[in-house]
DNA sequence: TTGTAGGCGTTATCAC
DNA sequence: GTGATAACGCCTACAA
């Protein structure tokens, strides 16, 4: 049945199941069984079939199979359109980790970008409703929704990673943003710090809300007023982390009573902030302690090495896949929210305040 | 024909073309045409059909279409198993850029990781030979090949990005690694540097060969011996860029006649090298000039800000997609090798040698 | 244990 | 311009 010509120069990819069947001298359905349910077929015929398949270099057609069984084996990961540097650094790890886990389950990973435009939303919805995709991992807070169709009621299992969207009914894998920042802030307070400077991500963003919330909680727990912390930033997108840090350094310079400890929402903000602040003549941690969030490897090699809260991205990736695969298997909903604890990495950017 | 029950709690995704046809009061084939060849159908019926489709939230089934037309609309990007930090940083940009271009052409992007194990090779080949994939962009120097099947003769168009594989018959999009490093080295020579230190990636790797080659060429052009440059590294994978830099700093310390200029194969090597070298009491660029390759944004905020050769990744991504899309359209092979020039970013890490 | 037959949702080739 | 109808490659009752 292979319609490919033997003519030289002709495409020659694509032995069919029928070709294997003929070569092995059995029926097509037997081949199908031998490949899928090796148990339900005679040992000898199976051997013949395997031999024939190998000889022909047979590879099953995924689309035909998918059409027939009504399922694809593709998982879609939705990345936010604006990747900020901090996350940008970890995205490859996330993808690697997720992809590796998926492959072992027999799945493939497709990428989708969720920009703010309708085109990308429509595109994602086409994928979801067009049967191309079996499940979704989403790293964005917005669920695509265009004229009636919404990802939420696509019938696909969806796992949110990094952002807690369990309120919206999505399985979520997150780290303990709030708690981690709270603990770090508490530690700074313990060291004697009383005036704080917070470098913010975009106002209202989940990470910003959680992490800033952690700062406030720590202040409250220590009986300190919220006034103790100055915010900078909040208008720029995470994508511009370095710019935010630069801007924050300018803001910092204008303050009369200078804070002694800085908490940044992401590593890149801290990195550019530190760079500018040092250039302005301040020393870290002598004049100023700095800590940030993400755990970028580069922090170790800053001067001074930067303390940071490391996101357990690989574990989160694995957890997200596990959750998704579970959801694909059963109809029951497992735990809606999985928290993977972060790890605080203490480096030289933190010290007790001078005065 | 929609077999989905209206029962509450039942999955309800998936209006079929037949459903649209019935609602519009036309034949199924007419719907197909109206959606694909809007020109070849009456204006009024087309309107009816579109209305019906929208009302039902109809989305064509991609697998059915793919099976029928014998083509998928998925492009596979093969990432090297070990992403080194420098490239790791640019991967998200690359993916974004590539994905955006692809979507406009109606394609989707699937990710594959090429590790050194047979499993991942087999997986990629299954994708390629199973009709799941229409074309390939590869960022790895190794073409998957397992028992007879090789990606090279899958019949799929392949574009190599970052690495020049035009020798292997692949369309390649690269930057001018050799030339860029040659020019930078020449500039260092012009400044008066005569002793060089080169921090290498894995021995034999394309980037290492090209970039080191650039150093040598510059030396030759200036009538200087190859002995002028000391190599460090070469055994560790790019993945361990930071470690390589750390190791290089140790190596550097053991040299009797100290080089005055350092050229690193990637930014991360330079970053960790600088960190350690400064800790050892040397100053940059006072005692030592440093330049590296990649153009990571973070280099701007190192102390001192690092000079680097920036890879034009977005342009390369676009070029790769263009090439691939061309190859999908025609059978003729366009230019085998596209070079997108890099951009040298001069920062404070470079100066004339002291003595 | 194996073979026969029908269909998954779409497109393309025919007639009309 | 529109409507039947036959594939596309595979899986899965069901029959043998």
């Amino acid at each position: 049945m292979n319609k490919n010509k033997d003519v030289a120069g002709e495409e020659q990819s694509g032995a069919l199941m029928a070709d294997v069947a003929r070569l092995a001298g059995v029926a097509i359905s037997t081949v199908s069984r031998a490949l899928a349910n090796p148990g339900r077929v005679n040992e000898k015929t199976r051997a013949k079939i395997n031999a024939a398949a190998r000889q022909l270099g047979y590879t099953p057609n995924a689309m035909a199979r998918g059409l027939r069984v009504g399922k694809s084996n593709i998982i879609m990961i939705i990345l936010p359109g604006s990747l900020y540097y901090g996350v940008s650094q970890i995205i490859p790890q996330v993808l690697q980790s997720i992809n590796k886990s998926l492959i072992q389950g027999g799945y493939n990973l497709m990428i989708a970008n969720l920009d703010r435009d309708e085109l990308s939303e429509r595109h994602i919805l086409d994928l979801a409703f067009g049967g191309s995709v079996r499940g979704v991992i989403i790293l964005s807070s917005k669920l695509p929704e265009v004229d009636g169709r919404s990802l939420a009621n696509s019938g696909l299992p969806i796992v949110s990673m990094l952002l807690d969207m369990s309120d919206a009914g999505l399985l979520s894998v997150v780290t303990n943003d709030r708690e981690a920042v709270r603990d770090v802030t508490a530690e700074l307070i313990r060291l004697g710090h009383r005036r704080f400077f917070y470098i913010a991500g975009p106002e209202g963003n989940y990470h910003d809300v959680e992490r800033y919330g952690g700062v406030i909680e720590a202040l409250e727990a220590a009986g300190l007023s919220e006034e103790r912390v100055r915010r900078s930033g909040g208008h720029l997108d995470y994508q511009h982390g370095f710019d935010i840090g630069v801007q924050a350094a300018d803001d910092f310079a204008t303050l009369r009573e200078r804070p002694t400890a800085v908490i940044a929402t992401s590593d890149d903000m801290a990195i550019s902030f530190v760079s500018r602040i040092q250039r302005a003549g301040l020393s870290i941690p002598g004049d100023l302690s700095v800590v940030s969030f993400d755990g970028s490897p580069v922090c170790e090699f800053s001067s001074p090495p930067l303390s940071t809260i490391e996101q357990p991205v690989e574990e989160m990736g694995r957890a997200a896949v596990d959750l998704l695969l579970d959801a694909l298997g059963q109809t029951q909903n497992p735990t809606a929210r999985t928290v993977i604890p972060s790890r605080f990495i203490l480096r030289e950017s933190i010290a007790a305040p001078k005065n």
Side-chain angles (χ1 to χ4, degrees), chain A residues 143-155:
Chain A
L143 283 179
E145 180 165 6
V146 172
D147 47 51
R149 302 184 305 172
S150 162
L151 191 59
N153 45 331
S154 63

Side-chain angles (χ1 to χ4, degrees), chain A residues 81-124:
Chain A
S82 78
L83 285 173
Y84 63 101
Y85 180 77
V87 157
S88 173
Q89 287 185 300
I90 62 179
I91 288 283
Q93 284 178 62
V94 173
L95 293 179
Q96 297 255 23
S97 144
I98 288 181
N99 198 27
K100 209 158 287 183
S101 308
L102 281 179
I103 286 176
Q104 292 184 322
Y107 293 94
N108 291 115
L109 185 60
M110 170 166 288
I111 285 200
N113 275 108
L114 184 51
D115 290 315
R116 297 239 155 272
D117 58 353
E118 191 180 305
L119 179 66
S120 73
E121 298 202 37
R122 197 180 296 281
H123 182 250
I124 289 173

Side-chain angles (χ1 to χ4, degrees), chain A residues 18 48-49 54 105 110 124 133 151 157 163 205 213 228 236 260 266 268 270 272-273 278 287 289 319 326-327:
Chain A
K48 261 194 311 195
I49 290 174
R54 190 159 24 237
M110 170 166 288
I124 289 173
V133 145
L151 191 59
L163 278 55
N205 168 278
R228 297 285 185 162
L236 278 179
T260 60
S266 72
D268 46 349
S272 58
F273 175 82
Q278 286 174 329
D287 298 313
S289 289
D326 277 3

Side-chain angles (χ1 to χ4, degrees), chain A residues 68 70 95 97 116 162 176 213 220 232 261 263 298:
Chain A
R68 175 61 236 241
L95 293 179
S97 144
R116 297 239 155 272
L162 295 185
N176 55 346
E220 282 177 357
S232 171
I263 298 154
V298 74

Side-chain angles (χ1 to χ4, degrees), chain A residues 9 29 38 77 93 210 216 237 273 305-306:
Chain A
S29 56
I77 184 168
Q93 284 178 62
E210 287 299 306
I216 299 301
D237 209 6
F273 175 82
L306 294 178

